[in-house]
Amino acid sequence: MVLLGYVVNFRIGPKSQNPKECILYFPGYDDHSKASRLIGRKVAWPAGERTHRGIIVATHGERGHVRARFRKGLPGHALGTMVEIIG
């Protein structure tokens, strides 16, 4: 079973943006308790021949969003695209 999600936004602060951390949403994980089961899972964002890999590190808010930290920062056109859980 492949679990697909969406890149919602980068993690941002009042003065800076962190491209290595993204906020992801997985349909079906609509609250904090369900989304907390995803912590520690590995995710991948396909980029042609290569893939950007990351790990889910925390939940974000009460609506089921999670934060993922990627090894390399995602490009700006990654917003709104699909990611998949690989591990």
Side-chain angles (χ1 to χ4, degrees), residues 9 11 20 52 55 63:
N9 205 351
R11 183 176 181 204
K20 286 191 174 186
H52 290 266
I55 188 167
R63 295 192 201 166

Side-chain angles (χ1 to χ4, degrees), residues 24-77:
L24 308 177
Y25 173 70
F26 292 93
Y29 291 84
D30 296 332
D31 61 356
H32 181 79
S33 61
K34 286 183 183 178
S36 64
R37 293 186 225 151
L38 296 174
I39 295 175
R41 309 273 306 265
K42 294 180 182 178
V43 294
W45 180 77
E49 297 174 3
R50 299 182 307 160
T51 59
H52 290 266
R53 294 176 185 252
I55 188 167
I56 297 174
V57 293
T59 58
H60 183 83
E62 295 293 324
R63 295 192 201 166
H65 292 71
V66 292
R67 266 191 359 239
R69 187 173 297 137
F70 288 86
R71 292 178 188 169
K72 296 190 104 179
L74 294 184
H77 65 271

